[in-house]
Coordinates of all heavy atoms in Angstrom, one line a residue:
M1 N -36.3 16.5 32.2 CA -35.5 17.7 32.0 C -35.6 18.0 30.6 O -35.3 17.2 29.7 CB -34.1 17.3 32.4 CG -33.1 18.5 32.3 SD -31.7 18.5 33.3 CE -30.6 17.4 32.4
P2 N -35.9 19.2 30.2 CA -36.0 19.6 28.8 C -34.6 19.6 28.1 O -33.6 19.9 28.7 CB -36.6 21.1 28.9 CG -36.3 21.5 30.2 CD -36.2 20.3 31.1
Q3 N -34.7 19.3 26.8 CA -33.5 19.3 26.0 C -33.0 20.7 25.8 O -33.8 21.6 25.5 CB -33.7 18.6 24.7 CG -33.7 17.1 24.7 CD -32.3 16.6 24.9 OE1 -31.3 17.2 24.6 NE2 -32.2 15.3 25.4
A4 N -31.7 20.9 25.8 CA -31.1 22.2 25.4 C -31.3 22.3 23.9 O -31.2 21.4 23.2 CB -29.7 22.3 25.8
T5 N -31.5 23.6 23.5 CA -31.7 23.8 22.1 C -30.5 24.5 21.4 O -29.8 25.2 22.1 CB -33.0 24.6 21.9 OG1 -32.8 25.9 22.5 CG2 -34.2 24.0 22.4
G6 N -30.4 24.3 20.2 CA -29.4 25.0 19.4 C -28.0 24.8 19.8 O -27.5 23.7 20.1
S7 N -27.4 26.0 19.9 CA -25.9 25.9 20.3 C -25.7 25.5 21.7 O -24.6 24.9 22.0 CB -25.3 27.3 20.1 OG -25.9 28.3 21.0
A8 N -26.6 25.7 22.6 CA -26.4 25.2 24.0 C -26.2 23.7 24.0 O -25.4 23.2 24.7 CB -27.5 25.6 24.9
H9 N -27.0 23.0 23.2 CA -26.9 21.5 23.1 C -25.5 21.2 22.5 O -24.9 20.2 23.0 CB -28.0 21.0 22.3 CG -27.9 19.5 22.1 ND1 -28.1 18.6 23.2 CD2 -27.7 18.7 21.0 CE1 -27.9 17.4 22.7 NE2 -27.7 17.4 21.4
L10 N -25.1 21.8 21.5 CA -23.8 21.5 20.9 C -22.7 21.9 21.8 O -21.6 21.2 21.8 CB -23.7 22.3 19.5 CG -24.7 21.9 18.4 CD1 -24.5 22.8 17.2 CD2 -24.5 20.4 18.1
D11 N -22.8 22.9 22.6 CA -21.8 23.2 23.6 C -21.6 22.1 24.6 O -20.5 21.7 25.0 CB -22.1 24.5 24.4 CG -22.1 25.7 23.5 OD1 -21.6 25.6 22.3 OD2 -22.6 26.8 23.9
K12 N -22.8 21.5 25.0 CA -22.7 20.3 26.0 C -22.0 19.2 25.3 O -21.2 18.5 25.9 CB -24.1 19.9 26.4 CG -24.7 20.9 27.4 CD -26.1 20.4 27.8 CE -26.7 21.4 28.8 NZ -28.0 20.9 29.2
V13 N -22.4 18.9 24.0 CA -21.8 17.8 23.3 C -20.2 18.0 23.2 O -19.5 17.1 23.4 CB -22.4 17.7 21.9 CG1 -21.7 16.7 21.0 CG2 -23.9 17.2 22.1
S14 N -19.8 19.2 22.8 CA -18.4 19.4 22.7 C -17.7 19.3 24.0 O -16.6 18.8 24.1 CB -18.1 20.8 22.1 OG -18.5 21.8 23.0
G15 N -18.4 19.7 25.1 CA -17.8 19.4 26.5 C -17.6 18.0 26.8 O -16.6 17.6 27.4
R16 N -18.6 17.2 26.4 CA -18.5 15.7 26.7 C -17.4 15.1 25.8 O -16.6 14.2 26.3 CB -19.8 15.1 26.3 CG -20.9 15.4 27.3 CD -22.2 14.7 27.0 NE -23.3 15.2 27.8 CZ -24.5 15.2 27.5 NH1 -24.9 14.8 26.3 NH2 -25.4 15.6 28.3
W17 N -17.3 15.5 24.6 CA -16.2 15.0 23.8 C -14.8 15.4 24.3 O -13.8 14.6 24.2 CB -16.3 15.4 22.3 CG -17.3 14.5 21.6 CD1 -18.6 14.8 21.2 CD2 -17.0 13.2 21.1 NE1 -19.1 13.7 20.6 CE2 -18.2 12.7 20.5 CE3 -15.9 12.4 21.1 CZ2 -18.3 11.5 19.8 CZ3 -16.0 11.1 20.5 CH2 -17.1 10.7 19.9
R18 N -14.7 16.6 24.8 CA -13.5 17.1 25.4 C -13.1 16.2 26.6 O -12.0 15.8 26.8 CB -13.6 18.6 25.9 CG -12.3 19.1 26.5 CD -12.5 20.2 27.4 NE -13.4 19.8 28.5 CZ -14.3 20.6 29.0 NH1 -14.6 21.8 28.5 NH2 -15.1 20.1 30.0
D19 N -14.1 15.9 27.4 CA -13.9 15.1 28.6 C -13.4 13.7 28.2 O -12.5 13.1 28.8 CB -15.2 15.0 29.5 CG -15.5 16.3 30.1 OD1 -14.7 17.2 30.2 OD2 -16.7 16.4 30.5
L20 N -14.0 13.1 27.1 CA -13.7 11.8 26.6 C -12.2 11.9 26.1 O -11.4 11.0 26.4 CB -14.6 11.4 25.5 CG -14.3 10.0 24.9 CD1 -14.4 8.9 26.0 CD2 -15.2 9.7 23.8
A21 N -11.9 12.9 25.4 CA -10.5 13.0 24.8 C -9.5 13.2 25.9 O -8.4 12.6 25.9 CB -10.4 14.2 23.9
D22 N -9.8 13.9 27.0 CA -8.9 14.0 28.1 C -8.8 12.7 28.9 O -7.6 12.4 29.3 CB -9.5 15.1 29.1 CG -9.3 16.5 28.6 OD1 -8.5 16.7 27.6 OD2 -9.9 17.4 29.1
R23 N -9.8 11.9 29.0 CA -9.7 10.6 29.6 C -8.8 9.7 28.8 O -8.0 8.9 29.3 CB -11.1 10.0 29.9 CG -11.8 10.6 31.0 CD -13.0 9.8 31.4 NE -13.9 9.4 30.3 CZ -15.0 10.0 30.0 NH1 -15.5 11.0 30.7 NH2 -15.7 9.6 29.0
R24 N -9.0 9.8 27.5 CA -8.2 9.0 26.6 C -6.7 9.3 26.7 O -5.9 8.5 26.7 CB -8.7 9.2 25.1 CG -8.1 8.3 24.1 CD -8.8 8.4 22.8 NE -8.2 7.6 21.8 CZ -7.9 8.1 20.6 NH1 -8.2 9.3 20.2 NH2 -7.3 7.3 19.7
L25 N -6.5 10.6 26.7 CA -5.1 11.1 26.9 C -4.5 10.6 28.2 O -3.3 10.1 28.2 CB -5.0 12.6 26.8 CG -3.7 13.2 27.0 CD1 -2.7 12.8 25.9 CD2 -3.8 14.8 26.9
A26 N -5.3 10.6 29.3 CA -4.8 10.1 30.6 C -4.5 8.6 30.5 O -3.5 8.2 31.0 CB -5.8 10.4 31.7
Y27 N -5.4 7.9 29.8 CA -5.1 6.5 29.6 C -3.8 6.2 28.9 O -3.0 5.3 29.3 CB -6.3 5.8 28.9 CG -6.0 4.4 28.5 CD1 -6.1 3.4 29.4 CD2 -5.7 4.1 27.2 CE1 -5.9 2.1 29.0 CE2 -5.5 2.8 26.8 CZ -5.5 1.8 27.8 OH -5.2 0.5 27.4
Y28 N -3.6 6.9 27.8 CA -2.4 6.6 27.0 C -1.1 7.1 27.7 O -0.1 6.5 27.6 CB -2.5 7.3 25.6 CG -3.2 6.4 24.6 CD1 -4.5 6.4 24.5 CD2 -2.4 5.5 23.9 CE1 -5.2 5.5 23.6 CE2 -3.0 4.6 23.0 CZ -4.4 4.6 22.8 OH -5.0 3.8 22.0
T29 N -1.3 8.1 28.5 CA -0.2 8.6 29.3 C 0.2 7.5 30.4 O 1.4 7.2 30.5 CB -0.5 9.9 30.1 OG1 -0.8 10.9 29.0 CG2 0.6 10.5 30.9
E30 N -0.8 7.0 31.0 CA -0.5 5.9 32.0 C 0.0 4.7 31.3 O 0.9 4.0 31.8 CB -1.8 5.6 32.7 CG -1.7 4.4 33.7 CD -0.6 4.7 34.8 OE1 -0.3 5.9 35.1 OE2 0.1 3.7 35.2
L31 N -0.5 4.4 30.1 CA 0.1 3.2 29.3 C 1.6 3.4 29.1 O 2.4 2.5 29.2 CB -0.7 3.1 28.0 CG -0.7 1.8 27.3 CD1 -1.3 0.7 28.1 CD2 -1.4 2.0 26.0
Y32 N 1.9 4.7 28.8 CA 3.3 5.0 28.5 C 4.2 4.9 29.8 O 5.2 4.3 29.8 CB 3.5 6.4 27.9 CG 4.9 6.9 27.8 CD1 5.7 6.3 26.8 CD2 5.4 7.8 28.7 CE1 7.0 6.8 26.7 CE2 6.7 8.2 28.6 CZ 7.5 7.7 27.6 OH 8.8 8.0 27.5
R33 N 3.7 5.5 30.9 CA 4.4 5.5 32.1 C 4.6 4.1 32.7 O 5.7 3.9 33.3 CB 3.7 6.4 33.1 CG 3.8 7.9 32.8 CD 3.2 8.7 33.9 NE 3.3 10.1 33.6 CZ 2.6 11.1 34.0 NH1 1.5 10.8 34.8 NH2 2.7 12.3 33.6
S34 N 3.7 3.3 32.5 CA 3.8 1.9 33.1 C 4.6 1.0 32.2 O 5.0 0.0 32.7 CB 2.4 1.3 33.3 OG 1.8 1.1 32.0
G35 N 4.8 1.4 30.9 CA 5.5 0.5 30.0 C 4.7 -0.5 29.4 O 5.2 -1.3 28.6
R36 N 3.4 -0.5 29.7 CA 2.5 -1.6 29.1 C 2.3 -1.4 27.6 O 1.9 -2.3 26.9 CB 1.1 -1.6 29.8 CG 1.2 -2.1 31.2 CD -0.2 -2.1 31.8 NE -0.7 -0.7 31.8 CZ -2.0 -0.4 31.6 NH1 -2.9 -1.3 31.4 NH2 -2.4 0.9 31.5
W37 N 2.6 -0.2 27.1 CA 2.4 0.1 25.7 C 3.3 -0.9 24.8 O 2.9 -1.3 23.7 CB 2.8 1.5 25.3 CG 4.3 1.8 25.5 CD1 4.9 2.3 26.6 CD2 5.3 1.6 24.5 NE1 6.2 2.4 26.5 CE2 6.5 2.1 25.2 CE3 5.3 1.2 23.2 CZ2 7.7 2.0 24.5 CZ3 6.6 1.2 22.6 CH2 7.7 1.6 23.2
Q38 N 4.4 -1.4 25.4 CA 5.2 -2.3 24.7 C 4.6 -3.7 24.4 O 5.0 -4.4 23.5 CB 6.5 -2.5 25.5 CG 7.3 -1.2 25.6 CD 8.5 -1.3 26.5 OE1 8.6 -2.3 27.3 NE2 9.4 -0.3 26.5
R39 N 3.6 -4.0 25.2 CA 2.8 -5.3 24.9 C 1.9 -5.2 23.7 O 1.6 -6.2 23.1 CB 2.0 -5.6 26.1 CG 2.7 -6.0 27.4 CD 1.8 -6.3 28.4 NE 2.5 -6.5 29.7 CZ 1.9 -6.9 30.8 NH1 0.6 -7.1 30.8 NH2 2.6 -7.2 31.9
Y40 N 1.5 -4.0 23.4 CA 0.5 -3.8 22.3 C 1.0 -3.1 21.1 O 0.4 -3.2 20.0 CB -0.7 -3.0 22.9 CG -1.2 -3.5 24.2 CD1 -1.0 -2.8 25.4 CD2 -1.8 -4.7 24.3 CE1 -1.4 -3.3 26.6 CE2 -2.3 -5.2 25.5 CZ -2.1 -4.5 26.7 OH -2.5 -5.0 27.8
Y41 N 2.1 -2.3 21.2 CA 2.5 -1.5 20.1 C 4.0 -1.6 19.8 O 4.8 -1.9 20.8 CB 2.2 0.0 20.4 CG 0.8 0.4 20.6 CD1 0.3 0.5 21.9 CD2 -0.1 0.6 19.5 CE1 -1.1 0.8 22.1 CE2 -1.4 1.0 19.7 CZ -1.9 1.0 21.0 OH -3.2 1.4 21.2
T42 N 4.4 -1.3 18.6 CA 5.8 -1.0 18.3 C 6.1 0.4 18.8 O 5.1 1.2 18.9 CB 6.2 -1.2 16.9 OG1 5.4 -0.2 16.1 CG2 5.8 -2.6 16.4
R43 N 7.3 0.8 18.9 CA 7.7 2.2 19.3 C 7.1 3.2 18.3 O 6.5 4.2 18.7 CB 9.2 2.3 19.4 CG 9.6 3.7 19.8 CD 11.2 3.8 19.9 NE 11.8 2.7 20.7 CZ 12.0 2.8 22.0 NH1 11.7 3.9 22.6 NH2 12.6 1.8 22.6
E44 N 7.2 2.9 17.0 CA 6.7 3.9 16.0 C 5.2 4.0 16.0 O 4.6 5.1 16.0 CB 7.2 3.4 14.6 CG 8.7 3.5 14.4 CD 9.4 2.3 15.0 OE1 8.8 1.2 15.2 OE2 10.6 2.4 15.3
R45 N 4.5 2.9 16.1 CA 3.0 2.9 16.1 C 2.5 3.6 17.4 O 1.5 4.3 17.3 CB 2.5 1.5 16.0 CG 2.8 1.0 14.5 CD 2.0 -0.2 14.1 NE 0.6 -0.1 14.0 CZ -0.1 0.4 13.0 NH1 0.4 1.1 12.0 NH2 -1.4 0.3 13.0
F46 N 3.2 3.3 18.5 CA 2.7 4.0 19.7 C 2.9 5.5 19.7 O 2.1 6.3 20.1 CB 3.4 3.4 21.0 CG 2.8 4.0 22.3 CD1 1.6 3.6 22.7 CD2 3.5 4.9 23.0 CE1 1.0 4.1 23.9 CE2 3.0 5.4 24.2 CZ 1.8 5.0 24.6
A47 N 4.1 5.9 19.1 CA 4.4 7.3 19.0 C 3.3 8.0 18.1 O 2.8 9.1 18.4 CB 5.8 7.5 18.4
M48 N 2.9 7.3 17.0 CA 1.9 7.9 16.1 C 0.6 8.0 16.8 O -0.1 9.0 16.7 CB 1.8 7.0 14.8 CG 3.0 7.2 13.9 SD 2.8 6.4 12.3 CE 1.8 5.0 12.6
R49 N 0.2 6.9 17.5 CA -1.0 6.9 18.2 C -1.1 8.0 19.3 O -2.1 8.7 19.5 CB -1.3 5.5 18.9 CG -2.5 5.3 19.7 CD -3.8 5.5 18.8 NE -3.9 4.5 17.7 CZ -4.6 3.4 17.8 NH1 -5.2 3.1 18.8 NH2 -4.6 2.6 16.7
M50 N 0.0 8.1 20.1 CA 0.1 9.1 21.1 C -0.1 10.5 20.5 O -0.8 11.4 21.1 CB 1.4 9.0 21.9 CG 1.4 9.8 23.1 SD 0.3 9.1 24.3 CE 0.7 10.0 25.7
L51 N 0.6 10.8 19.4 CA 0.4 12.1 18.7 C -1.0 12.3 18.3 O -1.5 13.5 18.5 CB 1.4 12.2 17.5 CG 2.9 12.3 17.9 CD1 3.7 12.3 16.6 CD2 3.2 13.6 18.6
D52 N -1.7 11.3 17.8 CA -3.1 11.5 17.5 C -4.0 11.8 18.7 O -4.9 12.6 18.6 CB -3.6 10.2 16.8 CG -3.0 10.0 15.4 OD1 -2.5 11.0 14.8 OD2 -3.1 8.8 14.9
V53 N -3.7 11.1 19.8 CA -4.5 11.3 21.0 C -4.2 12.7 21.5 O -5.2 13.4 21.9 CB -4.1 10.2 22.0 CG1 -4.6 10.6 23.4 CG2 -4.5 8.9 21.6
I54 N -3.0 13.2 21.5 CA -2.7 14.5 22.0 C -3.4 15.6 21.1 O -4.0 16.5 21.6 CB -1.2 14.8 22.0 CG1 -0.5 13.9 23.1 CG2 -0.8 16.2 22.2 CD1 1.0 13.8 23.0
E55 N -3.3 15.4 19.8 CA -3.9 16.3 18.8 C -5.5 16.4 19.1 O -6.1 17.4 19.0 CB -3.6 15.9 17.4 CG -4.1 16.9 16.4 CD -3.6 18.3 16.5 OE1 -2.4 18.5 17.0 OE2 -4.3 19.2 16.2
A56 N -6.1 15.2 19.2 CA -7.5 15.2 19.4 C -7.9 15.9 20.7 O -8.9 16.6 20.8 CB -8.0 13.7 19.5
A57 N -7.1 15.7 21.8 CA -7.4 16.4 23.0 C -7.3 17.9 22.9 O -8.1 18.6 23.4 CB -6.5 15.8 24.2
K58 N -6.3 18.3 22.2 CA -6.1 19.8 22.0 C -7.3 20.3 21.2 O -7.8 21.4 21.5 CB -4.8 20.0 21.2 CG -3.6 19.9 22.0 CD -2.3 20.2 21.2 CE -1.1 20.0 22.0 NZ 0.1 20.3 21.1
R59 N -7.7 19.6 20.1 CA -8.8 20.1 19.3 C -10.1 20.2 20.1 O -10.8 21.2 20.0 CB -9.0 19.2 18.1 CG -8.0 19.4 17.0 CD -8.3 18.5 15.8 NE -7.2 18.6 14.9 CZ -7.1 17.7 13.9 NH1 -7.9 16.7 13.8 NH2 -6.1 17.8 13.1
W60 N -10.4 19.2 20.8 CA -11.7 19.2 21.6 C -11.6 20.2 22.7 O -12.6 20.9 23.0 CB -12.0 17.8 22.1 CG -12.6 17.0 21.1 CD1 -12.1 15.9 20.5 CD2 -13.8 17.2 20.4 NE1 -12.9 15.4 19.5 CE2 -14.0 16.1 19.5 CE3 -14.9 18.1 20.5 CZ2 -15.1 16.0 18.6 CZ3 -16.0 18.0 19.7 CH2 -16.1 17.0 18.8
R61 N -10.4 20.4 23.3 CA -10.3 21.5 24.3 C -10.6 22.9 23.7 O -11.3 23.7 24.3 CB -8.9 21.4 25.0 CG -8.8 22.1 26.2 CD -7.5 21.8 27.0 NE -7.4 20.4 27.3 CZ -6.3 19.7 27.0 NH1 -5.3 20.2 26.3 NH2 -6.3 18.4 27.3
A62 N -10.0 23.1 22.5 CA -10.2 24.4 21.9 C -11.6 24.6 21.5 O -12.2 25.7 21.7 CB -9.3 24.5 20.6
L63 N -12.3 23.6 21.0 CA -13.7 23.7 20.7 C -14.6 24.0 21.9 O -15.5 24.8 21.8 CB -14.2 22.4 20.0 CG -13.7 22.2 18.5 CD1 -14.1 20.8 18.0 CD2 -14.3 23.3 17.6
A64 N -14.3 23.3 23.0 CA -15.1 23.5 24.2 C -14.8 24.9 24.8 O -15.7 25.5 25.2 CB -14.7 22.4 25.2
E65 N -13.6 25.3 24.7 CA -13.2 26.7 25.2 C -13.9 27.7 24.4 O -14.4 28.7 24.9 CB -11.8 26.9 25.2 CG -11.1 26.1 26.4 CD -9.6 26.2 26.3 OE1 -9.0 26.8 25.3 OE2 -8.9 25.6 27.1
R66 N -14.0 27.5 23.0 CA -14.6 28.5 22.1 C -16.1 28.5 22.5 O -16.7 29.6 22.5 CB -14.5 28.1 20.7 CG -15.0 29.1 19.7 CD -14.8 28.7 18.3 NE -13.7 27.9 18.0 CZ -13.6 27.2 16.9 NH1 -14.5 27.3 16.0 NH2 -12.5 26.5 16.6
A67 N -16.7 27.4 22.8 CA -18.1 27.3 23.1 C -18.4 28.1 24.4 O -19.4 28.8 24.5 CB -18.6 25.9 23.3
L68 N -17.5 27.9 25.4 CA -17.7 28.6 26.7 C -17.5 30.1 26.5 O -18.2 30.9 27.1 CB -16.6 28.1 27.7 CG -16.9 26.8 28.3 CD1 -15.7 26.4 29.2 CD2 -18.2 26.8 29.1
A69 N -16.6 30.5 25.6 CA -16.3 31.9 25.4 C -17.5 32.6 24.6 O -17.7 33.8 24.8 CB -15.0 32.1 24.6
S70 N -18.2 31.8 23.8 CA -19.3 32.4 23.0 C -20.6 32.5 23.8 O -21.5 33.1 23.3 CB -19.5 31.6 21.8 OG -20.1 30.3 22.1
Q71 N -20.6 31.9 25.0 CA -21.9 32.0 25.8 C -22.1 33.5 26.2 O -21.2 34.2 26.5 CB -21.8 31.2 27.1 CG -21.8 29.7 26.8 CD -21.7 28.8 28.0 OE1 -21.4 29.4 29.1 NE2 -22.0 27.6 27.9
D72 N -23.3 33.8 26.3 CA -23.7 35.2 26.8 C -23.5 35.3 28.3 O -24.0 34.5 29.0 CB -25.2 35.4 26.4 CG -25.7 36.8 26.8 OD1 -24.8 37.7 27.0 OD2 -26.9 37.0 26.8
P73 N -22.7 36.3 28.7 CA -22.4 36.4 30.1 C -23.6 36.8 30.9 O -23.6 36.5 32.1 CB -21.3 37.5 30.2 CG -21.2 38.1 28.8 CD -21.9 37.2 27.9
A74 N -24.6 37.3 30.3 CA -25.8 37.7 31.0 C -26.7 36.5 31.3 O -27.6 36.5 32.1 CB -26.6 38.8 30.3
E75 N -26.5 35.4 30.5 CA -27.3 34.2 30.7 C -26.8 33.5 31.9 O -25.7 33.2 32.1 CB -27.0 33.3 29.4 CG -27.9 32.1 29.4 CD -27.7 31.3 28.1 OE1 -27.7 31.9 27.0 OE2 -27.5 30.1 28.2
P76 N -27.8 33.1 32.8 CA -27.4 32.4 34.0 C -26.8 31.0 33.7 O -27.3 30.3 32.8 CB -28.7 32.3 34.8 CG -29.8 32.5 33.7 CD -29.2 33.3 32.6
Q77 N -25.8 30.7 34.4 CA -25.2 29.4 34.3 C -25.8 28.4 35.3 O -26.0 28.7 36.4 CB -23.7 29.5 34.6 CG -23.0 30.4 33.6 CD -22.9 29.9 32.2 OE1 -22.7 28.7 32.0 NE2 -23.1 30.7 31.3
T78 N -26.1 27.2 34.8 CA -26.7 26.2 35.7 C -25.6 25.2 35.9 O -24.9 24.7 34.9 CB -27.9 25.6 35.1 OG1 -27.6 25.0 33.8 CG2 -29.0 26.6 34.9
V79 N -25.4 24.8 37.1 CA -24.4 23.8 37.4 C -25.2 22.6 38.1 O -25.9 22.8 39.0 CB -23.4 24.3 38.4 CG1 -22.4 23.3 38.8 CG2 -22.7 25.5 37.7
Q80 N -24.9 21.4 37.5 CA -25.5 20.2 38.2 C -24.5 19.6 39.1 O -23.3 19.4 38.7 CB -26.0 19.2 37.1 CG -27.2 19.7 36.4 CD -27.6 18.6 35.4 OE1 -26.9 17.7 35.0 NE2 -28.8 18.8 34.9
V81 N -24.8 19.3 40.3 CA -23.9 18.7 41.2 C -24.4 17.2 41.4 O -25.5 17.0 41.7 CB -23.9 19.4 42.6 CG1 -23.0 18.8 43.5 CG2 -23.5 20.9 42.3
D82 N -23.5 16.3 41.2 CA -23.8 14.9 41.5 C -23.7 14.7 43.0 O -22.6 14.8 43.6 CB -22.8 14.0 40.8 CG -23.0 14.0 39.3 OD1 -24.2 14.3 38.8 OD2 -22.1 13.8 38.5
R83 N -24.8 14.3 43.6 CA -24.8 14.1 45.0 C -24.8 12.6 45.3 O -25.4 11.8 44.6 CB -26.0 14.8 45.7 CG -26.0 16.2 45.5 CD -27.3 16.8 46.0 NE -27.3 18.2 45.6 CZ -27.3 19.3 46.4 NH1 -27.2 19.0 47.7 NH2 -27.4 20.5 45.9
P84 N -24.0 12.2 46.3 CA -24.0 10.7 46.6 C -25.4 10.3 47.0 O -26.1 11.0 47.7 CB -23.0 10.6 47.7 CG -22.8 12.0 48.3 CD -23.2 13.0 47.2
R85 N -25.7 9.1 46.6 CA -27.0 8.6 47.0 C -26.9 7.7 48.2 O -26.0 6.8 48.2 CB -27.6 7.8 45.8 CG -27.9 8.6 44.6 CD -28.5 7.9 43.5 NE -28.7 8.8 42.4 CZ -29.0 8.4 41.2 NH1 -29.1 7.2 40.9 NH2 -29.2 9.3 40.2
H86 N -27.7 7.8 49.1 CA -27.7 7.0 50.3 C -28.9 6.0 50.3 O -30.0 6.4 49.9 CB -27.8 7.9 51.5 CG -26.6 8.8 51.6 ND1 -25.3 8.5 51.9 CD2 -26.6 10.2 51.3 CE1 -24.5 9.5 51.9 NE2 -25.3 10.6 51.5
A87 N -28.6 4.9 50.9 CA -29.7 3.9 51.0 C -30.8 4.4 51.9 O -30.4 4.9 53.0 CB -29.2 2.5 51.4
A88 N -32.0 4.2 51.6 CA -33.1 4.7 52.5 C -33.4 3.6 53.6 O -33.2 2.5 53.5 CB -34.3 4.9 51.7

């Protein structure tokens, strides 16, 4: 598969970072809901960490949305679908 060039490649990268930031936010949210954060953090340090995680998720989401908005609407969009693999 050919590499995407220029801004298209950077758009993919920003989308991947957004996905990672969202997964990280989900992890810390679950850590909070379960109460497990108390095993690893003080209240103040967890609050600071959670604010950092939320801010990073917002930033990557904004960057990825900006990348989507800047795409040429006339350019065809390609969507890859992960299909389950079956044993032969």
Side-chain angles (χ1 to χ4, degrees):
M1 180 156 82
Q3 280 288 339
T5 59
S7 67
H9 177 69
L10 294 177
D11 293 347
K12 287 182 181 182
V13 170
S14 68
R16 289 180 186 151
W17 277 103
R18 182 205 57 222
D19 293 343
L20 180 62
D22 286 343
R23 286 194 310 260
R24 186 172 175 227
L25 179 59
Y27 170 77
Y28 274 88
T29 301
E30 178 56 30
L31 200 62
Y32 173 75
R33 287 183 180 156
S34 70
R36 290 181 302 143
W37 66 270
Q38 296 171 350
R39 294 181 183 183
Y40 310 109
Y41 299 99
T42 64
R43 182 181 306 270
E44 295 80 19
R45 291 195 62 80
F46 185 74
M48 288 186 333
R49 179 64 60 98
M50 192 66 172
L51 289 174
D52 289 341
V53 168
I54 292 168
E55 183 62 30
K58 285 180 182 178
R59 284 183 187 165
W60 282 112
R61 197 171 298 129
L63 287 170
E65 287 172 359
R66 186 180 332 160
L68 286 175
S70 69
Q71 287 180 349
D72 184 13
E75 184 177 312
Q77 299 292 321
T78 59
V79 177
Q80 290 183 341
V81 178
D82 292 332
R83 298 175 190 245
R85 297 181 181 168
H86 301 286

